[in-house]
Amino acid sequence: MAFEASEKLQTILDMINEFVDKELVPLEQDFFHKDFNDMEPELEKKRDMVRQMELWAPLHPKAYGGMGLPLMDTAMIYEALGRSPAGLYVFGCQAPDAGNIEILHKFGTEEQKETWCRPNIEGKIRSCFAMTEVEVAGSNPTWLLTTAKKDGDDYVINGHKWYTSSADGAAYSIVMAETNPEAGSHYQKASMIIVPTDTPGFNLVRNIPVMGHVGSGWHSHAEVIFQDCRVPRKNILGGEGMGFVLAQQRLGPGRIHHCMRWIGIMNRCFDLMCAFAKQRRRTPTKVLADSDIIKSYVADSAADILSSRLMVLNAAWVIENKGVKAAMKDISIIKFHVANAMQRVIDRALQVHGGLGMSDDTPIAAYYRLERAARIYDGADEVHKISVGRRILNEY
């Protein structure tokens, strides 16, 4: 098993890396510190450049305007794009749209695909995903208080969601709600329903401040209340009681992409750390890189990056060749391992930069704030560790 890019993929990666360095890195200060809605016109220009390069939407189907690349290839692309916080958005493969598009393409009706999937892939609209709730455990998609009750040809949705990422400005939301409270299995109680965000009863309460950052547009996390929100029953996605199954299909490949993006962040912080250590003087005759402590930071970070990369590509290979179900243990392992490895690499990079690392003159401080959530969303560390331990022990 070799995790090497093909000649064609390497050419794509080289083009992406050059684009990130020349076009996106110079925008980072604005991206981190300006309102996203103010940045959107400039980012749209960059998106048009990507379209002209024929690198738009690498993981989405060709029939809908994407590149249609396989999971292993897109994993490596996410690593390259992860080096810039705007990378995924500018190349049309950002979360939560990517996950929503994937399940719409796999499980949606033709009408749903044409109405929502196609314009989403083309970058004409954005979407959001409403599953996490305020009152119950966010890591348990089988326990939801939001309900969708049948009323004639409609569902009437009531509930309270938060961390509905990118709801601000989204055209539609995929909502996870309980439709079958009487189902014998708690895995069959919930369904996913497409809800246009201009539907009466879809109420965006606020964009939640996260670590001192109040985002807007795509770069936001909203609190949403559904109050007698009425949508047609044909908006069900994949059938009633399929919510948990669709969530697993969505989150499996999604965690590959998250983890490879995190590795891109690690690569960026590692490069910044090494470059700074080589030029920052600690005495009139020596630089930071002469210190054995700094050398140990570099070695530990290199090990964190390499182990993470190999583990994630292995999980992607299992998904691609054996399916999501066969990869569940691997997916959980990479989720907690890579999230923690990223925290360690970011922290070392910040420590090496000293006071400069605490400032916003580099992207390290922003990564330190914004990426702490990686150990919580898509399943907290503890949940994944328990799952892995249980699966391994069951094999005995």
Side-chain angles (χ1 to χ4, degrees):
M1 191 186 305
F3 299 137
E4 294 179 349
S6 66
E7 185 176 345
K8 178 182 177 182
L9 177 60
Q10 190 57 55
T11 300
I12 292 172
L13 292 173
D14 291 342
M15 294 173 66
I16 289 174
N17 280 315
E18 183 179 4
F19 187 91
V20 168
D21 289 335
K22 289 184 177 180
E23 302 293 338
L24 300 185
V25 168
L27 294 178
E28 285 181 351
Q29 288 296 322
D30 288 342
F31 185 86
F32 279 128
H33 304 115
K34 283 187 177 180
D35 190 282
F36 177 85
N37 292 328
D38 294 335
M39 285 288 299
E40 199 164 10
E42 180 64 26
L43 293 174
E44 193 57 41
K45 293 178 184 177
K46 304 300 183 187
R47 294 179 118 196
D48 286 339
M49 293 172 66
V50 171
R51 292 184 180 99
Q52 292 169 13
M53 294 165 64
E54 298 184 352
L55 296 177
W56 179 256
L59 72 161
H60 299 319
K62 283 186 177 181
Y64 290 80
M67 295 178 69
L69 296 179
L71 182 60
M72 291 290 290
D73 288 3
T74 58
M76 295 185 192
I77 287 173
Y78 268 71
E79 179 184 13
L81 294 177
R83 292 172 51 244
S84 168
L88 274 65
Y89 179 80
V90 168
F91 278 73
C93 54
Q94 73 281 358
D97 297 277
N100 288 345
I101 288 167
E102 183 170 16
I103 57 175
L104 268 168
H105 183 251
K106 284 184 177 179
F107 301 100
T109 65
E110 288 305 313
E111 181 182 358
Q112 290 169 348
K113 291 177 185 179
E114 288 300 319
T115 303
W116 306 111
C117 189
R118 183 180 294 279
N120 207 164
I121 291 174
E122 293 172 347
K124 294 178 180 178
I125 61 172
R126 289 193 293 101
S127 64
C128 59
F129 184 67
M131 182 174 75
T132 304
E133 298 187 352
V134 180
E135 294 88 358
V136 296
S139 295
N140 186 354
T142 67
W143 181 24
L144 299 170
L145 300 181
T146 298
T147 60
K149 296 182 178 179
K150 301 181 189 69
D151 184 16
D153 292 332
D154 295 336
Y155 285 112
V156 179
I157 305 172
N158 283 282
H160 189 187
K161 303 283 189 179
W162 71 338
Y163 289 110
T164 300
S165 298
S166 309
D168 182 10
Y172 73 95
S173 176
I174 293 181
V175 180
M176 189 95 150
E178 187 179 79
T179 53
N180 302 65
E182 72 289 344
S185 169
H186 58 283
Y187 293 107
Q188 298 174 334
K189 291 185 177 182
S191 302
M192 289 190 185
I193 302 170
I194 301 169
V195 179
T197 56
D198 60 0
T199 304
F202 181 97
N203 302 299
L204 197 160
V205 178
R206 59 170 178 150
N207 288 329
I208 302 168
V210 178
M211 291 286 191
H213 176 262
V214 182
S216 67
W218 170 67
H219 207 211
S220 65
H221 306 279
E223 181 178 0
V224 177
I225 293 179
F226 295 87
Q227 293 177 303
D228 292 332
C229 186
R230 183 179 291 270
V231 295
R233 286 171 62 181
K234 68 177 183 179
N235 284 22
I236 195 85
L237 187 56
E240 278 200 348
M242 287 287 289
F244 180 83
V245 172
L246 268 60
Q248 296 308 304
Q249 289 290 323
R250 184 184 193 276
L251 292 173
R255 286 173 182 142
I256 298 293
H257 295 142
H258 272 313
C259 288
M260 291 305 285
R261 178 180 69 84
W262 297 339
I263 293 168
I265 291 171
M266 285 193 259
N267 289 333
R268 182 73 190 286
C269 290
F270 185 79
D271 289 343
L272 290 169
M273 175 173 64
C274 292
F276 186 77
K278 290 289 286 184
Q279 60 91 20
R280 175 67 168 178
R281 294 199 172 276
R282 64 187 182 97
T283 72
T285 59
K286 291 187 176 182
V287 294
L288 285 176
D290 295 323
S291 165
D292 287 345
I293 293 175
I294 302 303
K295 292 171 186 173
S296 72
Y297 286 175
V298 171
D300 284 338
S301 297
D304 275 334
I305 294 170
L306 180 58
S307 63
S308 296
R309 192 171 193 274
L310 293 175
M311 290 169 68
V312 178
L313 291 176
N314 176 72
W317 183 91
V318 175
I319 292 174
E320 201 165 71
N321 289 275
K322 300 182 180 181
V324 172
K325 190 173 181 180
M328 294 306 293
K329 181 174 67 178
D330 303 279
I331 292 167
S332 284
I333 288 175
I334 64 170
K335 174 59 176 65
F336 71 77
H337 177 85
V338 182
N340 281 271
M342 176 178 60
Q343 297 293 315
R344 293 192 294 268
V345 173
I346 293 172
D347 188 73
R348 293 185 198 112
L350 192 153
Q351 190 73 8
V352 169
H353 280 76
L356 177 61
M358 294 296 296
S359 77
D360 283 331
D361 289 353
T362 78
I364 297 172
Y367 285 138
Y368 193 89
R369 294 191 303 271
L370 299 175
E371 299 303 334
R372 176 59 179 83
R375 292 177 52 203
I376 297 173
Y377 63 71
D378 276 8
D381 285 358
E382 295 79 4
V383 173
H384 284 290
K385 288 180 179 181
I386 291 168
S387 174
V388 169
R390 182 177 64 247
R391 289 177 184 276
I392 291 173
L393 290 171
N394 284 345
E395 295 171 2
Y396 285 81

